[in-house]
Amino acid sequence: MRLERLMNEKGVDAILISNLLNVRYFTGFTGTTGTALAVKNKRFFVTDFRYVSQGKEEVEKNGFELICENISTFKKIGELLKEFEVKKIGIENQSVTLDQFKIFQNNFPEVEFIYLDDIFIKEREIKTEEEIQIIRESIKIAEKALKETMPKIKIGVKEREIAAELEYQMRKLGASKASFDIIVASNERSALPHGVASEKVVEEGFLTIDYGCFYKGYASDITRTFYVGDNPTEKHLEIYEIVREANEKAIKAIKDGITVHELDAIARDFIKEKGYGDYFGHGLGHGFGLQIHEYPGVSFKAENKVLKEGMVITIEPGIYLPNFGGVRIEDDILVKKNSYEVLTTLDKKLKLIKK
């Protein structure tokens, strides 16, 4: 089992899982209160009375014994540590607060704490077939929602109105929520890579929409840039085509074994050759899953990180020209052994949204 392997790798007798994303990943629990404990050949999930029925349904099929504790989760876990003679326990030091760590120390004074660092998020890099299928559905919902929203986009509409309509459509189609604050950036604001929807009204020019949703806990992440109006200038057409081609070139290079640095360079060098290298400052993409940003980061900053089969990543090059506008095109990609699968299906030809 995975947790047994991770315990052996870290040289611990037990692992305490308190971060709710990791709790969900290992136990299947989707509620808001619960802590998991793995000891040799035994798994426990501790929650309170509110989640007993839900917890039993979700965690027991994944091999966790549910314990209802309404007073002190840490006291109950302490009893289990004593029962199983735990000497060393792994904790999620990257997500545990200082106050939580003090509580752990006070409740488990005889136990040595071993930092797990990023072991869980690394474990989540490679998606299972079940996870990939849920991500596919999340993407389908997001794409359909954008198509439903498109008729509402026109000059004079506020960016926040577009974002609200898009989130409404995603929820209507089955999403639990948007996977992040939706970016709707029009005209010169499209030059802001994270131009979250504002009160600004849409004017003629570029309109960048970066959005996604959570479906059954898993994210999608898509960006498309449109031109609102009838007469894009040569510069609008030029930078759009450069970004689109950079996106395609990088995607075609994806396979198991390529480094993220190499992949980033394919798009970055192309944009640089076209004279816009100074206007593409962020990484080429990132992994996603239970979180909108997960490992691996697809960036010039990580030279030795290698893509592996089963990873799901974004490819999102961009060019951002201050006081003019910007373009970003983002697709979601499944890494395969010697190839890739583009999970997003929205057209990438420049669409003109007529006045």
Side-chain angles (χ1 to χ4, degrees), residues 296-353:
V298 183
S299 171
F300 56 91
K301 300 176 184 178
E303 293 190 11
N304 299 319
K305 183 64 181 180
V306 174
L307 293 185
K308 296 180 181 178
E309 183 178 12
M311 290 179 172
V312 180
I313 63 172
T314 68
I315 296 294
E316 48 181 302
I319 294 175
Y320 311 95
L321 304 181
N323 303 314
F324 177 80
V327 176
R328 182 166 62 256
I329 301 172
E330 177 182 24
D331 288 303
D332 299 339
I333 316 293
L334 171 63
V335 180
K336 293 192 169 184
K337 186 64 179 176
N338 294 306
S339 62
Y340 59 89
E341 180 184 349
V342 183
L343 302 179
T344 37
T345 65
L346 293 173
D347 193 3
K348 287 185 281 192
K349 293 179 182 178
L350 180 59
K351 179 179 176 61
L352 304 185
I353 300 175

Side-chain angles (χ1 to χ4, degrees), residues 38-104:
V39 296
K40 301 287 183 170
N41 303 315
K42 197 73 175 175
R43 308 287 179 266
F44 299 98
F45 175 74
V46 184
T47 189
D48 62 37
F49 76 100
R50 297 171 297 168
Y51 289 110
V52 170
S53 296
Q54 176 183 339
K56 281 182 176 292
E57 180 179 349
E58 293 177 335
V59 310
E60 289 185 349
K61 62 187 176 185
N62 293 311
F64 284 79
E65 177 184 332
L66 185 140
I67 297 175
C68 178
E69 175 54 58
N70 294 319
I71 299 175
S72 175
T73 295
F74 295 113
K75 180 180 179 182
K76 175 55 66 176
I77 290 173
E79 292 172 359
L80 293 170
L81 296 182
K82 186 174 182 180
E83 177 183 347
F84 288 92
E85 300 180 340
V86 171
K87 304 299 182 186
K88 294 182 178 181
I89 186 169
I91 63 168
E92 302 164 284
N93 54 292
Q94 291 191 339
S95 58
V96 169
T97 66
L98 181 58
D99 282 346
Q100 288 173 324
F101 184 63
K102 288 180 179 179
I103 292 172
F104 291 165

Side-chain angles (χ1 to χ4, degrees), residues 16-24 34 92 95 120 124 291:
L16 185 66
I17 310 173
S18 53
N19 180 297
L20 283 172
L21 287 175
N22 292 326
V23 168
R24 178 171 187 156
E92 302 164 284
S95 58
F120 287 156
R124 285 161 37 195
Q291 291 175 285

